[in-house]
Amino acid sequence: MIIYLSESRHARPAFGGLSIGLHWLMLLLLAAVYACIELREFYPRGSDIREGLKTWHFMLGLSVFVLVWIRLIARWRTPLLSPSPGWTRWPAAVGHLALYGLMIAMPLLGWLALSADGKDIPFFGLSLPPLVAPNEGLTEQLEEWHETLGVAGYWLIGLHAAAALIHQYVLKDGTLGLMLPRRR
């Protein structure tokens, strides 16, 4: 359910603390996931630092996968607040659907790719079970999909940030304020 705020822009409604906290935690996790996989390129293959960055990429990516489900439950249980003009609602809905799809598909593709490659799936001291049997051809295809979606993720995150800034500075509709932590 979405609640549209047309008359009371000054009332300062906002998402709940859980939704706000998860939003910013997911941003930090996604930034760390991307940073780990990009920074690994600066180190020689097989080096401890490169392997450590890859392991952190896997573990943080799987953390996104766990937290996205909590975030979806929180979103399902809390009505959405929107002071936005009508024409912005459907692009926002499509953008959010794409972001949630990304946060589910990327870690799942990574887990499948590691499984198909016959590698361990590390998760903070645990070794998760493989989802598929080793298969070299499947590994290559899954890695390609994962990388393509990773590039799309840069664009989606950038568009999401740009939309928030447009709402704040062009439309001046208060949308960005809904996701900012409240000051006491």
Side-chain angles (χ1 to χ4, degrees):
M1 171 171 63
I2 300 176
I3 298 173
Y4 295 106
L5 307 167
S6 57
E7 298 173 20
S8 176
R9 286 189 186 178
H10 305 293
R12 179 91 166 68
F15 287 96
L18 177 63
S19 292
I20 293 170
L22 285 171
H23 176 271
W24 296 108
L25 176 59
M26 296 297 273
L27 172 63
L28 291 173
L29 279 173
L30 288 169
V33 167
Y34 276 102
C36 285
I37 207 62
E38 296 295 341
L39 290 173
R40 86 186 193 303
E41 293 294 328
F42 291 104
Y43 299 96
R45 290 184 184 270
S47 69
D48 288 344
I49 293 176
R50 184 180 177 109
E51 293 305 309
L53 287 168
K54 284 170 44 179
T55 299
W56 275 103
H57 173 78
F58 304 148
M59 293 188 306
L60 294 173
L62 288 168
S63 297
V64 168
F65 187 70
V66 170
L67 289 175
V68 73
W69 298 105
I70 296 168
R71 190 151 179 221
L72 282 168
I73 291 167
R75 185 169 180 162
W76 174 68
R77 297 195 64 192
T78 306
L80 298 177
L81 307 169
S82 177
S84 305
W87 67 269
T88 64
R89 293 180 187 144
W90 75 264
V94 169
H96 284 106
L97 183 63
L99 283 167
Y100 280 107
L102 179 82
M103 290 185 286
I104 292 168
M106 287 293 291
L108 191 54
L109 284 169
W111 189 348
L112 285 165
L114 285 174
S115 298
D117 202 22
K119 294 183 178 171
D120 286 336
I121 297 92
F123 190 65
F124 299 103
L126 301 173
S127 185
L128 300 180
L131 298 177
V132 294
N135 179 326
E136 188 176 320
L138 181 60
T139 300
E140 290 175 19
Q141 188 172 24
L142 290 167
E143 286 174 348
E144 187 176 313
W145 291 349
H146 186 75
E147 188 174 322
T148 300
L149 275 180
V151 171
Y154 280 119
W155 286 98
L156 281 172
I157 293 165
L159 287 171
H160 183 70
L165 294 173
I166 288 168
H167 278 283
Q168 181 70 20
Y169 297 109
V170 177
L171 300 175
K172 298 180 182 182
D173 61 11
T175 298
L176 180 61
L178 297 175
M179 195 49 76
L180 295 176
R182 289 182 212 105
R183 294 181 189 184
R184 296 182 191 260

